Amino acid sequence: MNSEEWNDVLEAISDIWNDVLEAISDIWNRFTLTVEESVKALSDFFDSLYNDEIKYKQNHSPYRHKRNRCFKDQPNKLYKVERRLQKNLPYQRRNY
């Protein structure tokens, strides 16, 4: 093969590589757009969750009071009873 044929082959190969690189760059650009959209959607979702939690905390006190006892603001649990600690007991009857 002479040099002109080699130049033609090299030009054909470079054209193919340019087409491949353009296709890869187009695919990468589409991928980055998709990732940016998903990141924006996730950030909006978590922002709404955070804002809902802040609104809930502003409207509710962390404790509810009932007969000189403080309970955490949680739903009633029917299966578990938390006893109140008694104060000023003798040593044998103390509950730590």
Side-chain angles (χ1 to χ4, degrees), residues 63-71 76 84:
Y63 294 96
R64 59 185 169 90
H65 303 283
K66 183 177 180 182
R67 287 193 283 165
N68 298 331
R69 289 184 271 173
C70 291
F71 296 99
N76 292 334
R84 184 176 61 165

Side-chain angles (χ1 to χ4, degrees), residues 2 8 10 12 33 38 40 49 53-54 74 79 84 90-91 95:
N2 58 17
D8 293 338
L10 290 176
L33 289 176
S38 62
K40 186 176 185 315
L49 285 179
E53 184 178 346
I54 288 177
Q74 295 176 350
Y79 58 89
R84 184 176 61 165
Y91 179 74
N95 46 2

Side-chain angles (χ1 to χ4, degrees), residues 3 74 85 89:
S3 63
Q74 295 176 350
L85 295 177
L89 292 174

Side-chain angles (χ1 to χ4, degrees), residues 5 18 22 34 48 63 72 74 86-87:
E5 292 175 354
N18 287 335
E22 287 178 14
T34 306
S48 68
Y63 294 96
K72 280 276 197 183
Q74 295 176 350
Q86 295 180 352
K87 298 179 180 177

Side-chain angles (χ1 to χ4, degrees), residues 15-30:
D15 290 339
I16 292 171
W17 272 109
N18 287 335
D19 294 340
V20 168
L21 291 176
E22 287 178 14
I24 290 173
S25 65
D26 291 339
I27 292 170
W28 182 255
N29 289 335
R30 287 188 212 150

Side-chain angles (χ1 to χ4, degrees), residues 27-55:
I27 292 170
W28 182 255
N29 289 335
R30 287 188 212 150
F31 174 73
T32 55
L33 289 176
T34 306
V35 169
E36 288 174 357
E37 291 172 358
S38 62
V39 165
K40 186 176 185 315
L42 283 173
S43 67
D44 293 341
F45 173 71
F46 286 119
D47 286 341
S48 68
L49 285 179
Y50 181 71
N51 292 335
D52 292 344
E53 184 178 346
I54 288 177
K55 288 179 185 175

